[in-house]
């Protein structure tokens, strides 16, 4: 039975383990948290909490650590969003004060700040490609072998692609190609662009001299645009967490970070061994083995959402991480809505996508 005393002891164990990454014993708990119970009482309650599945006993110590079920209970019932860290608030506000920054830049900057402030990996997932449509392509020539194209969607999302051609390509051919793409592919869903390219291939053959080279280049670019809407910052930071000194755990973590698609991250809760909970504020928390993923959504337009996320060990300061994520997401939403009003919904600045 979860009595108020056991909940108090359990919360102290979680707080202490988050701080120290060391198993927590009854005597240290009593002394450090000034609990008004005997060491024997605390020890008995710790045993009961272990039997209930909220604590685990390590092999190397008589102390206990929270289990995945314990973290789930903590986040469902005991999570109190901490006041936003002042340093992070200032960092995000100053970054977003840059008038030239578009939404993609803002999201990436937020991930970098979140990673630095949490000392973990932070990421962002864009809206589903099926919900976005191509609005326009802008062309910027560098020389006869290099150019930059900026793909702009109806939601204001931009994706920048640098093209390198082994053989020289005339700027006239590039202009003709872009004109055709803008005419024939406007309002086509991003994930349908590669297939639609085949339909306009005869038109390219007629109007563009080096049509084969450009056709192949743009098909590859559209495939990448449709699938590559996930971004991570600080992948290396998580490697220094003590939980991932185990090479087996580290390999699983890196596979998740390197090979995961946006869709697989969004469907994380359905993964094998996943334990998930959603807070009253809508923050999603998922635990898979020794990895914890905290996600929160931000609206980019009606019916379309992106996600910010933090990836770390199960032992993370959930109060702090959740408050940071929610603050960053709220700031991005405010910036997006402000930009949309200022620019009439057309956010066409360049981005690194």
């Amino acid at each position: 039975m979860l009595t108020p005393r056991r909940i108090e002891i359990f919360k102290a164990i979680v707080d202490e383990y988050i701080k120290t990454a060391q198993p927590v014993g009854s005597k240290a708990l009593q002394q450090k948290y000034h609990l008004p119970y005997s060491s024997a009482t605390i020890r008995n309650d710790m045993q009961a909490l272990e039997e209930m599945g909220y604590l685990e006993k390590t092999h190397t110590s008589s102390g206990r650590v929270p289990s995945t079920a314990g973290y789930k209970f903590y986040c469902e019932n005991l999570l109190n969003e901490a006041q936003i860290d002042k340093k992070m608030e200032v960092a995000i506000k100053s970054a977003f004060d840059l008038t030239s920054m578009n939404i993609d830049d803002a999201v990436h900057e937020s991930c970098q700040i979140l990673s630095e402030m949490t000392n973990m990996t932070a990421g962002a997932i864009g809206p589903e490609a099926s919900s976005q449509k191509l609005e326009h392509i802008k062309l910027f020539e560098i020389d006869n072998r290099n150019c930059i194209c900026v793909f702009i969607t109806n939601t204001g999302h931009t994706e920048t692609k640098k093209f390198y051609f082994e053989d020289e390509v005339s700027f006239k051919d590039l202009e003709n190609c872009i004109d055709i793409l803008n005419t024939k592919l406007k309002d086509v869903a991003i994930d349908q662009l590669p297939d639609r390219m085949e339909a306009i291939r005869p038109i390219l053959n007629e109007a563009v001299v080096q049509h084969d080279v450009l056709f192949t280049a743009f098909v590859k670019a559209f495939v990448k645009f449709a699938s590559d809407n996930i971004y991570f910052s600080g992948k290396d930071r998580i490697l220094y967490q003590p939980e991932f000194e185990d090479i087996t755990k580290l390999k699983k973590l890196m596979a998740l970070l390197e090979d995961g698609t946006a869709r697989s991250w969004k469907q994380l809760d359905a993964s094998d061994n996943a334990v998930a909970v959603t807070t009253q504020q809508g923050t999603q928390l998922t635990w898979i083995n020794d990895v914890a993923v905290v996600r929160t959504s931000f609206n980019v337009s009606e019916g379309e959402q992106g996600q910010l996320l933090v990836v770390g060990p199960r032992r993370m300061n959930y109060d702090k991480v959740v408050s940071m994520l929610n603050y960053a997401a709220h700031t991005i939403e405010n910036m997006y809505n402000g930009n949309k009003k200022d620019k009439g919904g057309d956010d066409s600045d360049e981005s690194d996508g």
Side-chain angles (χ1 to χ4, degrees):
M1 179 179 176
L2 268 177
T3 63
R5 186 183 68 208
R6 287 176 178 172
I7 291 174
E8 181 183 4
I9 291 170
F10 171 74
K11 187 177 187 307
I13 292 171
V14 174
D15 293 342
E16 180 65 10
Y17 184 62
I18 286 172
K19 292 175 185 175
T20 65
Q22 297 297 320
V24 184
S26 58
K27 186 173 289 187
L29 201 64
Q30 181 193 40
Q31 294 173 351
K32 191 163 185 177
Y33 288 83
H34 307 291
L35 297 177
Y37 319 117
S38 69
S39 182
T41 296
I42 295 173
R43 194 161 50 247
N44 289 337
D45 280 344
M46 291 172 70
Q47 176 65 35
L49 287 164
E50 182 181 352
E51 291 171 357
M52 295 166 69
Y54 295 127
L55 296 179
E56 296 174 343
K57 191 171 184 178
T58 66
H59 298 295
T60 57
S61 168
S62 59
R64 266 82 166 185
V65 301
S67 65
T68 297
Y71 283 121
K72 181 177 184 289
F73 174 81
Y74 178 91
C75 292
E76 278 181 312
N77 302 282
L78 305 176
L79 187 67
N80 293 312
E81 283 193 44
Q83 187 171 355
I84 186 68
D85 188 293
K86 197 66 181 177
K87 289 185 291 184
M88 181 181 176
E89 182 179 353
V90 171
I92 288 183
K93 281 185 175 179
S94 63
F96 284 29
D97 281 342
L98 298 173
T99 55
S100 62
M101 181 177 287
N102 65 19
I103 294 301
D104 292 333
D105 293 332
V107 169
H108 292 183
E109 185 72 18
S110 297
C111 291
Q112 292 172 22
I113 294 170
L114 284 166
S115 178
E116 290 173 7
M117 297 298 290
T118 62
N119 204 32
M120 286 180 271
T121 301
I125 303 171
E128 290 283 354
S130 59
S131 66
Q132 297 187 79
K133 297 178 181 179
L134 184 67
E135 181 70 25
H136 191 70
I137 304 172
K138 286 187 174 181
L139 171 66
F140 300 91
E141 183 187 27
I142 299 176
D143 54 41
N144 287 340
R145 293 180 185 269
N146 296 273
C147 73
I148 291 174
C149 285
V150 181
F151 305 107
I152 305 164
T153 74
N154 61 316
T155 66
H157 174 73
T158 62
E159 185 89 7
T160 300
K161 169 67 176 176
K162 183 176 180 180
F163 291 91
Y164 167 75
F165 304 104
E166 292 185 3
D167 298 319
E168 291 188 0
V169 175
S170 73
F171 189 64
K172 183 64 176 175
D173 259 1
L174 282 168
E175 282 187 319
N176 289 342
C177 180
I178 296 299
D179 286 344
I180 292 169
L181 298 184
N182 279 328
T183 301
K184 298 297 182 181
L185 299 181
K186 180 177 170 61
D187 294 329
V188 174
I190 300 302
D191 60 352
Q192 295 177 13
L193 289 173
D195 291 337
R196 289 292 290 272
M197 282 291 290
E198 194 63 45
I200 65 172
R201 189 167 193 166
I203 302 173
L204 290 173
N205 292 353
E206 287 288 331
V208 179
V209 176
Q210 291 168 289
H211 49 83
D212 285 336
V213 172
L214 294 179
F215 174 85
T216 301
F218 277 98
V219 167
K220 289 180 179 178
F222 287 143
V223 168
K224 185 175 186 297
F225 192 7
S227 61
D228 189 17
N229 60 338
I230 186 165
Y231 170 84
F232 285 107
S233 179
K235 286 184 180 180
D236 58 327
R237 292 181 187 275
I238 199 172
L239 305 183
Y240 299 101
Q241 298 290 342
E243 286 84 353
F244 299 111
E245 292 176 357
D246 184 314
I247 190 65
T248 302
K249 294 179 181 178
L250 182 59
K251 285 181 177 179
K252 290 180 179 179
L253 172 64
M254 294 314 295
L256 184 66
L257 290 174
E258 297 294 339
D259 302 331
T261 63
R263 180 162 296 190
S264 68
W265 280 94
K266 286 185 175 182
Q267 297 175 346
L268 206 59
D269 294 356
S271 305
D272 292 340
N273 303 320
V275 175
V277 65
T278 301
T279 69
Q280 292 181 346
Q281 293 76 25
T283 306
Q284 297 170 272
L285 300 105
T286 307
W287 296 270
I288 299 180
N289 300 322
D290 295 286
V291 178
V293 181
V294 185
R295 292 170 289 165
T296 194
S297 299
F298 57 89
N299 295 312
V300 293
S301 66
E302 186 177 352
E304 292 187 322
Q305 289 186 329
Q307 288 186 348
L308 288 178
L309 55 91
V310 168
V311 183
R314 291 190 308 176
R315 178 194 55 83
M316 73 164 67
N317 188 332
Y318 294 100
D319 293 348
K320 177 181 176 182
V321 170
V322 168
S323 65
M324 285 183 172
L325 274 174
N326 286 340
Y327 180 81
H330 181 68
T331 307
I332 290 169
E333 282 187 349
N334 287 344
M335 179 184 177
Y336 179 83
N337 292 330
N339 279 359
K340 194 168 184 180
K341 289 175 184 176
D342 293 342
K343 301 180 182 181
D346 180 18
D347 179 11
S348 55
D349 291 335
E350 283 187 49
S351 161
D352 288 335

